[in-house]
Each structure stands twice: as structure tokens, then as C-alpha cells.
């Protein structure tokens, strides 16, 4: 399936617009794609079905372009002679049935002289006489460049004295592959065979293997020339088949140029392998930054842990006061120093990515939210871990032992009291039944001591082994900071993953457009043995 060139250009421009907005390409690259020329001979005039062949005379000052057009028309329709270098007009010579009401804006009718004819045999050709390309008038050169995309066949006119014109020759070299070319060595009555052969050699250097050159005379000389052969050649080209072949070739050349531009832009986006190296680059950078942050956090964490321990009751039991506890601390973990270190880490990471030919603008956009979220992550995770640590001080074994001691603090005194009570009851009963003495002072002292010991022992153990709130808060803060550091690492890695996905999507879109540019048109290629092939540069 073939794809229309104008559709490919429109798709390319849409891609360039969104790629620029996303930062994948810079303004210069986007402008390069936006400036792609969609003008063709087919867009010059509105037509239904077939269109005329667009033929233009081009050359330097004084070579006789206007004289050739006047000879073709059989009357003076284009300015010739000494006035010509100062003319700002483009002369169109065409059949009266051809509509020219919809010229592009850059080709204003005010600068175009139009001459019509009724010759049906020339109905399928539009002749254009363009200003001298080497004129001192800059507008002349501008008009020539504006008209070139709308032309099928360029008739490059030279004279024996001007066939080595430098300006027109540079234009030939730059535009050679985009048009069909015929060459006219005009004013041949003043020419020599050596000049013709030299001109032919120059065309060989410009990649024309067997150029079609006509020798013409446009003065009052009666010398026979090849003007009739020139007109006959143009007439033979003015068929729907040839016009279609020229359009197909022009489309292919433009698609190839578009393909080359897109391939160049694709290289500017960086390779997939470069994007795959970003996680490793970040991990290496973040490992060094983490060590620095942890060292810098050591003293603020200690101060903050003491502050939390002093306000533990408010922090855990009074939600209204917890905000004061957390915000009233003098020691903020994420201070200017920490923010600067984190920004330095991201900036160095972006710089390393740039050295690996990764576009940094989309990377910066993805990392920008992480810069803003990092302080909140540190604050939230450290506070959460500190609250949890203060609510559950000590480790699991420590808390289990203390729980056992609290149970002992209740059970042991109760057991001692029960035992003492039992002994008192049994002693009293025994003393009434027998002559055994009732419990004495020693028993009272010993039983009191037993009860006191069973209650005081767990009490003192709980008191002495009570975990330090400061140490608990310190451990919680350290744990929270580690969790936050891992979360920040995850946020950056997620941003890198998003960049990789976006990059793959940009590359896939470009590859699809490039693939469409490579699809051959259905129109058969120009036969290398046809006369038209002699007029083209492949």
C-alpha cells in the first residue's frame, strides 16, 4: 500500500509538534520538520483528472530565455533584451482553458504576467519564463526558488559565453535530482564545437550520463537550429503517462528526503540501549548519595528522636497536639543541605544521561515531581515510623518479656496472698483442734516479706527494663528514613521506566512513518531506456 506524500508530511508535522511539547526534540529539529515542502507541480492549479505539464525556462542574464518563449509563442509575450534583468515578473504562457485562479499565496498574481493562447496542440503544456537567477534583484532569485517545486521540466538555457555561470550551476547541482532537465545552448550562431563539448562534460560531472542538449538560435540569423526538436520533445512529454511518471518520481524523491530527515531525527532521540543503561546509572548515583544523606541525617535524627521522646504522650494520645509536636521540632531532616544533595544527585544523573545521548528534557520533566515529593516522603515515612516505634517501644522479644513481667506483677502477689491466707486459716483451725500454738510473729513477718517480694520484684524489673523512648524514636526514625530512601529510589526508577516507554513509543511512531516512506508507489518506474531517463538524475 502506497502512502500519499502530503499525508506523510502532515503525520510528520503532528509527530514533531507533540515531540517538541514533550521535549524529545528541540525547536530547531521541530522547525526542520515543520518546514518540509509539500509543494508539487500537481498543487499549482486546480484540475480534474489529468493536468498540464509544467515547463520552465531557467538560466542566467542575457542567455535568451525570453526570446525562446517569444519564439515559441510567435509573438513578444516576455520582456527581452536590456530590460530583462530589472523585471520582477514571471511570465506564464498557457492555453485559455487552464484555470489559474488558485495560485498559492507565495506566488502572487501581481508578480506574474499571463499570456494565453488557443493552440489545441499546446493545450497540455504550461510554459513559464522565470527571472534571471543571477540578477542583482534579490526578488528574482526568491521567485525562482518559490516556483521550482511546482515545475516538472526545467529547460536550462545557456549561451556560449555564459554556460559556466556559477550561480545557475549551483542551483542545477542542488535541484538536479528533483526535476526532468533539458538543456539549450542558445545563441549557437556565436558558439563553437569546443564550447558544446565542454558544456557536455560539465553536465557529465553533474551526473547526467547522456544529457539532452539542443542548439538554438533566437536572433535574426537564418541559420538552422534544433528549436523544433526542443518543442517536439516537450510535446512528447506532455502525456498523462509521462506526467504520472514524473509525479511518481518526485513523490519518491521527496519521500526519500523525508525518510533521511526522520532517520536523522531518530538518531537525536538516542538509542534503546542508552535508555536501558539509565537504571544502572541511577543506582550507582543514588548509592553514593544515600551514603552521604545517611551521614548527614545522623545528628538531626538524634535531636529529633529526643524531641519525639519528650512529647511522646502528646504525639500518641492527642491528635490535635501531634501537629505541633512534628512541626515544632527545631531539627528538620529534609533541610536545605539534604535538598541540595538530592538536587545534585538528580542533576548529575541527568548529565550522565546526556552524555549517553539521551534527550534530557523529558527526563527532567519526569524527575521534576520527584524533587517535590522527596521532602514529603521523608517527613511522612519518618513520622510514621517514629509513631509506630513509640507506640511499640523495644523489639518483639523485649516487649514479650515485659508483657510476661506485667502478668507476673499481678499473679505473683495474688498467689502469695492466697498462700498466706491459706496458712492463716489452716493454722487457726489446727490451733483450736490441738494444742499446737497459733501462727506467731515470725510467720507474720515472713508472709509480709513474701507478698512484698512477689509484688516488688516484677515492679522493679519492669521499671529497670522499660525501653527508652528516645532509643525507640531513634530506631523508628532511622527505619523511616531508610524506607523513604527506598521509596524515593522507586519513584526515580518509575520515572525512568516511564521515560523508556515514552521513548519506545516515539521511536515506534517514527519507524512507522519511515516505513511508510519506504513503501513503493504502484506506478511503474521510469524505463532506463526511455528518452525521459536521459533527462533525469538517479
Amino acid at each position: 500500500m502506497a502512502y500519499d506524500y502530503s499525508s506523510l508530511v502532515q503525520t510528520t508535522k503532528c509527530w514533531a509538534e507533540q515531540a517538541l511539547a514533550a521535549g524529545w526534540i528541540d525547536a530547531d529539529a521541530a522547525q526542520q520538520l515543520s518546514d518540509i515542502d509539500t509543494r508539487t507541480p500537481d498543487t499549482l492549479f486546480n484540475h480534474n483528472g489529468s493536468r498540464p505539464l509544467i515547463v520552465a525556462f531557467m538560466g542566467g542574464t542575457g542567455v535568451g530565455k525570453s526570446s525562446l518563449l517569444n519564439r515559441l509563442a510567435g509573438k513578444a509575450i516576455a520582456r527581452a533584451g536590456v530590460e530583462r534583468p530589472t523585471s520582477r515578473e514571471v511570465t506564464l504562457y498557457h492555453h485559455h482553458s487552464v484555470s489559474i485562479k488558485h495560485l498559492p499565496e507565495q506566488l502572487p498574481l501581481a508578480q506574474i504576467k499571463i499570456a494565453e493562447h488557443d493552440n489545441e496542440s499546446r493545450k497540455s503544456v504550461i510554459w513559464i519564463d522565470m527571472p534571471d537567477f543571477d540578477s542583482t534583484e534579490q526578488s528574482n532569485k526568491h521567485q525562482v526558488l518559490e516556483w521550482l517545486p511546482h515545475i516538472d521540466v526545467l529547460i536550462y538555457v545557456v549561451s556560449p559565453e555564459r554556460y559556466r555561470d556559477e550561480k545557475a550551476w549551483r542551483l542545477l547541482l542542488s535541484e538536479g535530482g528533483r526535476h526532468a532537465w533539458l538543456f539549450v545552448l542558445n545563441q549557437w550562431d556565436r558558439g563553437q564545437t569546443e564550447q558544446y563539448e565542454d558544456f557536455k562534460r560539465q553536465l557529465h560531472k553533474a551526473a547526467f550520463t547522456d544529457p539532452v542538449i539542443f542548439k538554438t538560435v533566437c536572433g535574426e540569423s537564418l541559420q538552422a537550429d534544433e528549436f523544433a526538436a526542443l518543442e517536439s520533445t516537450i510535446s512528447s512529454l506532455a502525456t498523462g503517462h509521462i506526467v504520472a511518471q514524473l509525479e511518481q518520481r518526485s513523490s519518491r524523491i521527496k519521500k526519500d528526503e523525508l525518510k533521511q530527515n526522520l532517520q536523522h531525527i531518530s538518531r537525536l532521540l538516542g538509542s534503546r540501549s542508552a535508555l536501558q543503561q539509565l537504571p544502572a546509572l541511577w543506582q550507582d548515583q543514588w548509592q553514593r548519595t544515600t551514603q552521604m544523606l545517611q551521614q548527614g541525617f545522623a545528628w538531626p535524627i538524634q535531636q529529633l528522636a529526643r524531641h519525639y521522646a519528650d512529647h511522646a504522650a502528646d504525639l500518641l494520645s492527642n491528635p490535635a497536639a501531634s501537629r505541633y509536636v512534628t512541626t515544632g521540632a527545631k531539627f528538620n531532616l529534609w533541610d536545605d543541605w539534604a535538598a541540595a544533595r538530592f538536587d545534585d544527585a538528580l542533576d548529575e544523573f541527568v548529565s550522565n544521561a546526556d552524555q549517553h545521548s539521551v534527550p534530557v528534557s523529558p527526563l527532567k520533566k519526569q524527575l521534576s515531581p520527584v524533587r517535590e515529593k522527596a521532602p514529603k516522603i521523608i517527613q511522612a515515612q519518618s513520622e510514621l515510623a517514629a509513631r509506630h516505634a513509640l507506640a511499640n517501644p523495644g523489639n518483639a522479644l523485649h516487649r514479650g518479656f515485659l508483657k510476661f513481667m506485667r502478668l507476673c506483677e499481678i499473679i505473683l502477689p495474688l498467689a502469695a496472698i492466697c498462700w498466706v491466707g491459706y496458712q492463716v486459716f489452716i493454722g487457726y483451725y489446727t490451733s483450736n483442734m490441738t494444742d499446737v500454738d497459733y501462727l506467731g510473729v515470725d510467720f507474720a513477718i515472713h508472709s509480709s516479706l513474701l507478698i512484698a517480694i512477689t509484688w516488688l520484684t516484677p515492679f522493679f524489673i519492669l521499671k529497670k527494663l522499660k525501653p527508652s523512648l528516645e532509643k525507640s524514636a531513634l530506631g523508628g526514625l532511622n527505619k523511616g528514613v531508610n524506607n523513604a530512601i527506598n521509596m524515593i529510589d522507586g519513584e526515580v526508577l518509575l520515572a525512568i521506566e516511564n521515560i523508556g516507554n515514552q521513548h519506545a513509543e516515539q521511536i515506534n511512531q517514527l519507524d512507522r512513518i519511515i516505513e511508510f516512506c519506504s513503501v513503493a508507489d504502484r506506478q511503474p518506474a521510469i524505463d532506463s531506456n526511455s528518452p525521459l531517463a536521459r533527462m533525469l538524475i538517479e
Side-chain angles (χ1 to χ4, degrees), residues 59-68 71 80-82 84 132 156-163 183-193 195-196 199 213-221 223-227 230:
T61 305
V63 296
K65 303 186 303 299
S66 300
S67 298
L68 287 172
R71 182 177 176 183
V82 295
R84 181 58 182 160
D132 306 318
Y156 182 44
V157 183
V158 298
S159 65
E161 296 83 6
R162 303 293 303 276
Y163 71 88
F183 301 94
V184 173
L185 186 54
N186 198 24
Q187 303 171 3
W188 180 243
D189 52 326
R190 301 200 302 268
Q192 299 178 3
T193 304
Q195 293 171 322
Y196 172 82
F199 181 51
I213 306 175
F214 299 98
K215 298 185 283 289
T216 60
V217 177
C218 285
E220 297 180 356
S221 173
Q223 181 178 345
D225 63 4
E226 298 173 347
F227 184 82
L230 168 64

Side-chain angles (χ1 to χ4, degrees), residues 134-145:
D134 59 348
S135 170
T136 56
E137 292 287 344
Q138 290 298 319
S139 60
N140 286 4
K141 180 179 178 180
H142 176 72
Q143 286 193 68
V144 171
L145 295 177

